[in-house]
Amino acid sequence: MADATTGIVEQDAGGLPQLNVIEDGTYTNQIAWLVLTFALLYIVVSRMIVPKVTDVMGEREEKIAGDLDDAARLQKEAEEVRASYEKAIAQARAGAQETIQKAKDAAQADIAKAQAKLDAKIAANSAEAEARIDAAKTDALASLDEIATDVAADMIAKLSGADPSAADVKKAVATAITAKGA
Amino acid sequence: MAHSPIDQFKVKPIAEFQLAGIDVSFTNSSLWMVIVLGLVSVFLIGGMRRSSVVPGRWQSMVELAYEFVAGMVRDNVGKEGKSYFPFIFTLFMFVLGSNLAGMIPGSFTVTSHIAVNFAMALFVFLAVTVIGFVKNGAGYLRLFVPSGVPGWLLPLIVLIEIISYCTRPISLAVRLFANMLAGHIMMKVFAGFIISLSALGAFGVLGAVAPFAVTVLLTGLEILVACLQAFVFTILTCIYLNDAMHPGH
């Protein structure tokens, strides 16, 4: 392969074309076309590309800043909504507590009233019953004297055959009862 | 059939023109400059044609190139470099386009010619020098006097600084030229091995696999070099421009 390459190189004895540009005069056309194409590219870049890219990047920055602002605003709004919601919840809770308390108080009052009524009724009933018992007792005691007098009169009549006056018997019985009671 | 590896660099006239006695013929070099101009313009204009806030793929590529160069200018020149951005962006796109177009088989690599590179480098050098003196007046000469150098050493240092300043256009031009030249010659030589070896019969075809693999690898390397050298040319321009803006090390 060394033969092949040396063969190739030997075909061209002029050296590097780059170093012969002055002799062969191609440097002028290279530089002329470089100036032309470079200037055209410069015009394209400076007139069309740079302003456009700058615009787009500025727009993007603005958009991002705007979006961030919007996000901050929305977050603040959400925060406010949350606060008002919590306030509403607290209010509702307080209202419910109040209603419950009221209902409780009313029920308590009703219970107390009913209790008082019932107590009064029971007291009245028991007083009435006591009075009735007292009356019955008095009656019974009164009729007991009568019965005792009658029984004593009957017993006197049966035992002695005498017929004492009712007033005497009554007097005697009363004396006996009193003595016994004493 | 067999071409010399340096045949690809030959400038061949397509149509001969003369302007004020100067040869301005349209050559294969001119043709590829026009093609590069067309390709870069189509890439840039096409990408920004339907520019939107949310970019598509093409627009993203254009913006990527724009941001890449804008970042280079921002980091190396600073805010004052903004007015030179269109030129630097044009320079980057032209060199990159030329280097990459040179990778198309059968094409002509515009930037493989030192005449072209030197013209660009000399323009950058002269522009930087003029900007430097316009912005700083005689103060631009401070560039040649580094601070903190002992007095007895100063004449030598100033001489070295002046020489290094004046060789800038040469180094800028030769760097790009040598990279393009060497890469393209290497590719042609290895590609030539494939042809010469396979001409030796079945055994040679088998042996041609090795240079073929090298050629494939070189192609990838050359695409990298094409991008890298466009970057280097541009960033050195930025650094020189920075010197013009802020002389004194």
Side-chain angles (χ1 to χ4, degrees), chain B residues 155-240:
Chain B
L156 186 65
I157 294 290
V158 169
L159 186 68
I160 290 170
E161 288 285 337
I162 290 172
I163 292 170
S164 88
Y165 186 81
C166 294
T167 52
R168 275 175 178 185
I170 300 166
S171 68
L172 197 57
V174 169
R175 184 180 298 107
L176 180 58
F177 156 70
N179 271 284
M180 290 299 116
L181 176 81
H184 282 265
I185 287 181
M186 241 186 355
M187 279 184 68
K188 280 281 147 71
V189 167
F190 276 95
F193 285 165
I194 303 171
I195 295 166
S196 351
L197 271 176
S198 50
L200 298 178
F203 209 66
V205 170
L206 213 64
V209 169
F212 183 74
V214 172
T215 307
V216 170
L217 290 176
L218 275 179
T219 308
L221 180 72
E222 277 313 298
I223 290 171
L224 177 74
V225 168
C227 298
L228 189 69
Q229 287 306 318
F231 169 71
V232 167
F233 200 97
T234 315
I235 201 154
L236 283 173
T237 303
C238 287
I239 289 168
Y240 297 161

Side-chain angles (χ1 to χ4, degrees), chain A residues 5 12 18 28 33 52 60, chain B residues 10 23 48 53 63 112:
Chain A
T5 38
D12 193 283
Q18 285 94 326
T28 51
W33 284 93
K52 229 169 177 179
R60 186 173 304 147
Chain B
K10 273 200 178 135
D23 175 28
M48 297 313 290
V53 173
E63 284 183 12
S112 71

Side-chain angles (χ1 to χ4, degrees), chain A residues 4-5 8 11-12 15-18 28-30 33-34 38 41-42 45 49 52-54 56-57 59-60, chain B residues 3-4 6 9-10 23-26 30 33 48 51 53 63 66 87 94 112-113 116 177 181 193 196:
Chain A
T5 38
I8 287 164
Q11 283 179 0
D12 193 283
L16 277 177
Q18 285 94 326
T28 51
N29 65 52
Q30 284 193 58
W33 284 93
L34 170 71
F38 197 96
L41 189 63
Y42 180 78
V45 165
I49 302 306
K52 229 169 177 179
V53 176
T54 313
V56 167
M57 284 180 172
E59 210 178 306
R60 186 173 304 147
Chain B
H3 285 294
S4 154
I6 54 175
F9 303 122
K10 273 200 178 135
D23 175 28
V24 292
S25 302
F26 188 77
S30 324
M33 285 181 196
M48 297 313 290
S51 60
V53 173
E63 284 183 12
Y66 182 100
F87 173 76
F94 188 82
S112 71
H113 263 263
V116 169
F177 156 70
L181 176 81
F193 285 165
S196 351

Side-chain angles (χ1 to χ4, degrees), chain B residues 88-101:
Chain B
I88 291 172
F89 187 56
T90 308
L91 189 67
F92 176 72
M93 290 312 289
F94 188 82
V95 175
L96 181 68
S98 302
N99 292 356
L100 287 178

Side-chain angles (χ1 to χ4, degrees), chain B residues 58-88:
Chain B
W58 197 346
Q59 192 188 334
S60 288
M61 286 197 290
V62 175
E63 284 183 12
L64 194 74
Y66 182 100
E67 269 297 292
F68 180 67
V69 178
M72 242 194 282
V73 173
R74 224 179 5 246
D75 296 345
N76 292 293
V77 190
K79 272 198 158 45
E80 309 93 315
K82 224 177 161 183
S83 48
Y84 305 106
F85 172 76
F87 173 76
I88 291 172

